[in-house]
């Protein structure tokens, strides 16, 4: 299971059970209007296989990140890239 890739002030991670309680009995689409850290989108992606999830946020960087994470090949490429990054000199100096 994916957890939120970004810790975000105002995260709805702890409220997903409340959101789920008030959802319609039958639905096939969720629009995460204020996506932020993506907790609502990830919840529905992981728990409702037949549901289209549309992530939205004012930040184009966050929107792009979620587009990448939804594509398995792109997500693996990003993970490999991140795992192979060398720490900066400043990071070494802090140790």
């Amino acid at each position: 299971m994916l957890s939120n890739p970004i810790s975000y002030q105002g995260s709805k991670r702890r409220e997903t059970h409340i959101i789920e309680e008030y959802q319609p009995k039958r639905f096939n689409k969720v629009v995460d209007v204020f996506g932020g850290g993506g907790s609502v989108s990830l919840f529905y992606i992981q728990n409702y296989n037949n549901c289209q999830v549309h992530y939205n946020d004012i930040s184009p960087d966050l929107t792009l990140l979620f587009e990448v994470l939804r594509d398995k090949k792109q997500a693996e490429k990003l993970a490999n890239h991140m795992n192979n990054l060398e720490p900066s000199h400043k990071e070494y100096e802090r140790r």
Side-chain angles (χ1 to χ4, degrees):
M1 281 187 67
L2 285 173
S3 61
N4 297 40
I6 296 175
S7 182
Y8 223 75
Q9 182 178 357
S11 173
K12 296 174 281 296
R13 180 178 50 86
R14 293 186 196 149
E15 283 76 27
T16 53
H17 70 283
I18 297 169
I19 294 168
E20 186 178 35
E21 182 180 329
Y22 288 96
Q23 73 190 17
K25 293 198 184 306
R26 294 177 59 197
F27 64 97
N28 60 3
K29 185 185 298 184
V30 170
V31 179
D32 192 357
V33 180
F34 303 104
S39 57
V40 172
S41 290
L42 290 172
F43 175 80
Y44 280 96
I45 288 169
Q46 293 171 358
N47 294 294
Y48 292 87
N49 295 333
N50 296 324
C51 180
Q52 286 183 329
V53 178
H54 299 275
Y55 173 90
N56 181 66
D57 196 86
I58 194 168
S59 168
D61 294 330
L62 284 175
T63 303
L64 178 60
L65 174 63
F66 274 87
E67 287 176 19
V68 168
L69 292 176
R70 291 190 73 155
D71 181 289
K72 187 175 181 176
K73 286 183 182 180
Q74 287 187 15
E76 287 173 356
K77 184 177 177 181
L78 176 61
N80 287 334
H81 175 74
M82 297 300 290
N83 287 332
N84 292 318
L85 285 177
E86 292 293 326
S88 70
H89 291 290
K90 288 181 182 178
E91 189 172 333
Y92 280 120
E93 292 169 2
R94 281 189 246 160
R95 292 181 183 175

